[in-house]
Amino acid sequence: MTDVKEGASGPGPEARHQTVPDDEMFPVASFDDPHLQPAAKHVRRAEGVAGLFLVIGFLGFAAYGASYWQNWSNVLQGAFLGVGLFAFGFGMSAWGKYLLPQGPFVEERHPNASTEAEVDAMAAAVVGRGAMMFRRRGFLGGILGAGAGVMGVVMAFPLLRSLGPVPKQSFDHTHWKKGSRVVDFNGKLVRADDILTGGSLTVFPEGYVGNAMDQTIIVRPTTSNVVTKAGRETWAPRGNLAFSKVCTHAGCPVGLYQEQTQQLLCPCHQSLFDVGQGRPAVPVFGPAPRPLPQLPLYIDAGGYLRAQGDYHEPVGPGFWERS
Amino acid sequence: MSNGTTDSPVLERPAPTQGQKAAAGGIRWLDERLGIAKGGGRAMLDKIFPDHWSFLLGEIALYSFVVLLATGVFLSLYFNPSAADVVYPKNGPYVPLRGVHMSAAYLSSLDISFGVRSGLVIRQMHHWAADVFIGAIAVHMVRIFFTGAFRKPRELNWLVGVTLLILAIVNGFLGYSLPDDLISGTGLRIAYSIILSIPLVGTYLANFVFGGQFPGDGSIIPRFFILHVLIIPALLAVLIGAHLGLLVRQKHTQFPGKGRTEHNVVGSPMYPTFIAKTTGFLFMVTGALWAMGGLAQINPIWQFGPYEPTKISYAVQPDWYMGWTDGALRIMPSWEFSGFGHTIPFEIFLPGVLFPGLAFGLFWAWPFLEAKLTGDRAEHNLLDRPRDKPRRTAVGAAFLAFFFVLLCASSTDVLATFFDVSLGLVLWTFRFAVIIVPIVVGVVTHRICLDMSGVRDVGKRKRHVVITRSVAGEYQTHPTEERPGDTHHELDPAPVPAYIDMGGDGDGDGDGEPGVRRVSR
């Protein structure tokens, strides 16, 4: 299009109703103009194709209506309306592409940049009028800035602080305490011999079944006491080895116990931990940086498993305050 | 007429027809209030869109967004964003879950899938549309990058576009988390750990986002819901408006060609040609997505079961647009810094926070970086062919290779199972590949670009030849007879006509029958 916008400044209000605009501004063309010819080489064929697809679209819509009414399967519903919409659109696009004038038509671009003087005038206006606001009103300016600053800080309280508790020491501890009884997923107390040799069981401290941070996995490679590390002689009575089930990498449950190799695998990012004699869940493969913390257990007078205390270090992935 | 190739006579503007008179009434009403007949409205009718298949990529993204809004409204009528504990009814349609405890969000997602007519189609369509939306944005961005369309004066629109990509990915992840199935809950657990890994503020931020230590107090679902259905879609809509507004203001770029200069746009007009084509395309995109929603299963949440923080599934991959971060998490070595009473878990902070931050920061900065490196600060409206800019193309290809390797690395477990090799071998292969493959791809791309620019007539249309064998056994080639379409006749571009002469039979053959004259192009 030649410059239409210039027309805006041209005719005044009385000229608005003038019936014949300037031919230079609004060029006239006849259908003989080659720019107005359809792009298709075989116009009749293009009309046929566009029509055929529009008809398929029409039928597809109708078929979807029927499939919805009869509550047919999602497969039929998807096929009918999907094909219908696509064909309808294809017909419309084919109409536009092959039967409507493609030109080529041309439109001039208008340079974005203004003159140097216009830019300078704008800058002068911005700075000058701003200065006018604050000239000899330094106190008002100061209080405006201070008020905005305080407002920014206090508005962050409801926007942020209300959302959740501050962490304090909550990441350092779990609900495991000295004497906590060990229960399984159903809240049933776990006895020392409930887990078969080579088996594993997800357990919780009594009262916290399903808790994300307390979840612990007991593996039992053998029925005799297991020492994973010096100082942990009493921690795995009768082979009941308890480790935090929260991966030290990204916190997924370390859910796979491979009995043959005595390893725990985290299915999220494939961190692999050695468990068993002399191996306190040390990561041997993958991105996990630290061993899974071990929970010290003991067997009470009734033969049930209990915790000797909380984990000796924070469970789960790393964080800034972790020492 | 500024058109030199036609010999059309200068025509008188014909008397207005009945239809024109009727339309003029409505247009005058609007014009007296908005001035549309001489200003923006008139300019919109005549706006020229250049034609190239790659310009459709952005349209796919736009129309996927339209589909996302429509299907999202439908889903929001049935979805219950609540973590409240409920029990799947004893007579529920999905037998394996009868009597199972689950969140209200998961239950309502199951109801949408099994209880609402067309609900499963629309839920799956919504998911597919999200994948296609982000995919189309990414491919559109690749097109913009390789053709240099981000250069002055379009840096602003590049910034808007990269921001749209980030928001789209974020909203995809939020939506993926809402059904509260086992897989999406696992994704949330990882997201929590990623936030937790940020030095200094990680524990606070993680607690504030989730309303407490993972899994929080159950507020994560309503929070993600309002972000997913209101806040981020509103931002997306505003930025898409700005994206298109800038496109209209600055006009479309075009590939070099006959009559095309830095100072014009050559193509077909908005009305009716482009409107017809693009509306048809809207229907085609919608149709394809609807068909995918009905025919191709995605995210069968009923198979995964409700989320339990202590349960986990195997061989789980996120949606494709999160795959590169998951891959980075998998192949990152376990480098945790610990000392001075503090811990910086680089094994998760680096791939989960720093790397995406740097990647998107680099995307944002690229137009300015390239202008600085090349010293090219001129205005560009004609697009580059990628091979003509070997260095940019090499950098882009290397980047794509890098992301592709990371995406593949998010399936280390699946690959190890499929090829029956050890996980260790797969992991170490990717650790090397993520460095080597981009370098090789970059160097090879650079080489190919240089070689292509040295060959003449690459990509030109070839004339067929006939090979004959003479009696003496000698072979000779003869070009075939020229047929219409063999050679490319192009018209010089002309301004869009405002008035079209309806007199005569229209096709110039004088038979009184309206028809169309074929033009050799």
Side-chain angles (χ1 to χ4, degrees):
Chain A
M1 187 63 221
T2 45
D3 195 348
V4 181
K5 288 208 176 82
E6 276 173 16
S9 56
E14 70 283 351
R16 194 180 296 157
H17 296 296
Q18 118 190 17
T19 43
V20 184
D22 188 352
D23 272 345
E24 295 232 344
M25 210 175 295
F26 298 106
V28 179
S30 105
F31 267 129
D32 289 338
D33 189 322
H35 292 92
L36 296 182
Q37 304 308 310
K41 282 183 188 150
H42 307 286
V43 173
R44 289 285 172 221
R45 197 183 298 169
E47 285 168 353
V49 169
L52 176 68
F53 275 93
L54 289 174
V55 167
I56 296 174
F58 181 87
L59 294 176
F61 296 150
Y64 170 71
S67 70
Y68 183 90
W69 180 39
Q70 293 295 319
N71 203 12
W72 290 338
S73 76
N74 58 303
V75 174
L76 284 178
Q77 292 183 12
F80 287 147
L81 191 52
V83 169
L85 284 166
F86 191 91
F88 202 67
F90 192 89
M92 216 186 301
S93 281
W95 191 345
K97 185 169 170 58
Y98 297 111
L99 297 170
L100 291 178
Q102 300 297 310
F105 297 110
V106 65
E107 182 181 15
E108 297 303 317
R109 291 179 192 276
H110 308 286
N112 294 309
S114 312
T115 63
E116 201 82 3
E118 285 166 327
V119 174
D120 288 345
M122 176 98 178
V126 170
V127 175
R129 292 179 202 176
M132 197 195 300
M133 181 172 168
F134 288 105
R135 193 168 44 134
R136 279 184 278 149
R137 293 185 188 117
F139 172 73
L140 291 185
I143 203 75
L144 186 73
V150 172
M151 178 185 79
V153 172
V154 298
M155 298 233 297
F157 293 161
L159 282 178
L160 209 60
R161 176 61 189 86
S162 297
L163 290 174
V166 289
K168 294 192 180 142
Q169 307 300 315
S170 63
F171 285 86
D172 298 341
H173 305 291
T174 67
H175 294 108
W176 289 103
K177 287 185 188 61
K178 186 167 190 273
S180 289
R181 294 205 281 186
V182 174
V183 298
D184 67 7
F185 214 91
N186 299 315
K188 197 169 136 292
L189 294 175
V190 179
R191 303 177 77 97
D193 290 323
D194 278 355
I195 302 159
L196 299 176
T197 313
S200 67
L201 184 69
T202 301
V203 298
F204 307 90
E206 197 177 12
Y208 298 96
V209 169
N211 188 287
M213 297 310 289
D214 300 337
Q215 54 178 313
T216 297
I217 186 164
I218 298 184
V219 296
R220 199 172 185 212
T222 167
T223 51
S224 53
N225 293 2
V226 175
V227 185
T228 54
K229 202 175 167 183
R232 298 185 179 181
E233 284 78 7
T234 64
W235 285 22
R238 298 174 64 83
N240 287 289
L241 265 166
F243 294 104
S244 165
K245 203 184 169 184
V246 188
C247 185
T248 54
H249 175 232
C252 293
V254 186
L256 276 179
Y257 175 50
Q258 303 178 345
E259 191 219 336
Q260 299 289 318
T261 52
Q262 298 205 5
Q263 287 173 321
L264 282 168
L265 176 75
C266 175
C268 277
H269 305 106
Q270 285 78 48
S271 291
L272 199 58
F273 303 87
D274 269 356
V275 294
Q277 295 287 354
R279 308 295 287 166
V282 247
V284 288
F285 178 81
R290 275 169 281 112
L292 300 169
Q294 187 182 352
L295 185 74
L297 297 179
Y298 71 95
I299 302 168
D300 68 10
Y304 293 101
L305 288 175
R306 286 177 186 251
Q308 294 184 25
D310 194 2
Y311 286 101
H312 54 288
E313 59 176 319
V315 301
F319 52 95
W320 172 250
E321 292 89 343
R322 192 181 197 282
S323 54
Chain B
M1 301 286 298
S2 64
N3 173 9
T5 58
T6 61
D7 46 3
S8 321
V10 174
L11 297 161
E12 291 296 312
R13 178 181 165 277
T17 62
Q18 280 304 110
Q20 281 173 20
K21 279 180 191 159
I27 289 171
R28 182 161 296 115
W29 193 92
L30 275 175
D31 184 60
E32 282 166 4
R33 284 150 186 88
L34 299 168
I36 55 160
K38 60 178 182 292
R42 174 71 216 199
M44 278 312 286
L45 285 191
D46 296 345
K47 187 153 189 60
I48 295 299
F49 282 86
D51 221 1
H52 193 263
W53 66 265
S54 69
F55 300 165
L56 288 180
L57 299 170
E59 288 180 41
I60 298 179
L62 179 66
Y63 298 146
S64 305
F65 182 70
V66 172
V67 168
L68 282 169
L69 287 183
T71 52
V73 167
F74 176 90
L75 294 175
S76 71
L77 300 177
Y78 303 98
F79 181 69
N80 179 5
S82 159
D85 181 53
V86 293
V87 178
Y88 196 69
K90 293 281 182 214
N91 59 352
Y94 190 64
V95 178
L97 286 175
R98 285 179 182 172
V100 172
H101 280 262
M102 56 184 62
S103 65
Y106 184 66
L107 177 69
S108 63
S109 305
L110 291 174
D111 281 346
I112 289 171
S113 307
F114 296 125
V116 179
R117 273 199 195 186
S118 284
L120 180 61
V121 184
I122 290 177
R123 211 201 98 221
Q124 296 192 132
M125 188 187 183
H126 192 70
H127 199 128
W128 277 121
D131 281 350
V132 170
F133 178 49
I134 302 171
I137 294 178
V139 182
H140 171 64
M141 179 178 163
V142 166
R143 198 282 289 176
I144 299 289
F145 180 87
F146 283 118
T147 57
F150 55 82
R151 292 172 298 174
K152 185 181 172 185
R154 294 183 179 76
E155 304 98 323
L156 280 174
N157 228 6
W158 170 265
L159 295 181
V160 172
V162 173
T163 314
L164 279 170
L165 174 63
I166 298 170
L167 287 173
I169 290 176
V170 168
N171 217 28
F173 179 77
L174 294 175
Y176 175 80
S177 304
L178 286 177
D180 201 30
D181 57 279
L182 183 60
I183 309 300
S184 74
T186 308
L188 279 180
R189 169 70 244 201
I190 298 170
Y192 184 90
S193 304
I194 289 174
I195 301 173
L196 193 67
S197 73
I198 301 170
L200 216 62
V201 295
T203 49
Y204 290 83
L205 273 184
N207 267 18
F208 292 164
V209 172
F210 282 73
Q213 208 169 345
F214 187 83
D217 57 2
S219 51
I220 193 68
I221 290 173
R223 283 177 190 179
F224 273 21
F225 179 71
I226 203 66
L227 285 172
H228 178 75
V229 303
L230 177 69
I231 306 210
I232 299 201
L235 287 175
L236 281 170
V238 167
L239 284 178
I240 288 173
H243 205 62
L244 298 179
L246 281 168
L247 166 79
V248 169
R249 177 83 180 85
Q250 298 178 330
K251 300 194 173 71
H252 211 292
T253 52
Q254 57 190 351
F255 280 102
K258 196 175 183 190
R260 298 171 184 181
T261 70
E262 291 280 5
H263 308 292
N264 67 12
V265 201
V266 173
S268 48
M270 174 77 148
Y271 177 81
T273 311
F274 182 76
I275 283 281
K277 286 194 286 189
T278 199
T279 312
F281 195 56
L282 165 66
F283 278 80
M284 284 195 268
V285 170
T286 314
L289 289 173
W290 183 281
M292 286 160 86
L295 301 173
Q297 188 182 68
I298 190 164
N299 202 22
I301 49 164
W302 53 89
Q303 291 178 6
F304 307 146
Y307 179 60
E308 299 268 3
T310 60
K311 289 191 177 162
I312 183 83
S313 186
Y314 189 67
V316 172
Q317 272 65 43
D319 269 323
W320 78 268
Y321 48 84
M322 298 299 287
W324 55 283
T325 51
D326 193 58
L329 278 172
R330 285 176 187 227
I331 64 172
M332 178 73 195
S334 54
W335 293 338
E336 185 163 271
F337 168 82
S338 185
F340 309 106
H342 291 289
T343 298
I344 304 177
F346 280 115
E347 77 280 358
I348 180 159
F349 179 63
L350 204 70
V353 182
L354 269 188
F355 163 58
L358 281 177
F360 287 114
L362 186 63
F363 293 163
W364 267 318
W366 182 267
F368 312 100
L369 221 60
E370 189 186 294
K372 199 169 172 62
L373 290 175
T374 60
D376 177 2
R377 290 173 202 287
E379 195 175 314
H380 294 282
N381 294 313
L382 287 178
L383 294 168
D384 287 330
R385 297 183 78 167
R387 69 172 191 232
D388 294 334
K389 301 280 174 186
R391 277 182 296 176
R392 180 205 293 146
T393 305
V395 170
F399 237 113
L400 283 180
F402 181 61
F403 281 98
F404 186 69
V405 172
L406 285 178
L407 179 63
C408 294
S410 73
S411 11
T412 43
D413 49 349
V414 179
L415 292 172
T417 313
F418 186 79
F419 292 108
D420 200 18
V421 291
S422 80
L423 259 175
L425 179 68
V426 177
L427 181 88
W428 278 100
T429 307
F430 275 110
R431 281 180 178 170
F432 281 107
V434 79
I435 296 164
I436 294 169
V437 171
I439 294 174
V440 171
V441 167
V443 170
V444 169
T445 307
H446 192 251
R447 197 60 249 169
I448 291 175
C449 289
L450 290 180
D451 284 356
M452 280 177 84
S453 47
V455 183
R456 286 180 56 218
D457 296 339
V458 167
K460 284 262 174 69
R461 191 179 295 204
K462 293 186 181 67
R463 275 270 288 285
H464 292 238
V465 294
V466 175
I467 300 173
T468 55
R469 183 171 181 259
S470 70
V471 187
E474 186 188 13
Y475 288 97
Q476 281 183 323
T477 58
H478 312 280
T480 52
E481 200 181 317
E482 190 176 310
R483 294 194 304 180
D486 274 358
T487 41
H488 209 60
H489 290 298
E490 278 188 85
L491 298 170
D492 276 323
V496 184
Y499 297 104
I500 295 166
D501 176 23
M502 302 290 283
D505 60 4
D507 55 0
D509 56 7
D511 60 3
E513 285 286 312
V516 266
R517 192 179 66 177
R518 237 205 64 202
V519 176
S520 186
R521 309 183 74 227

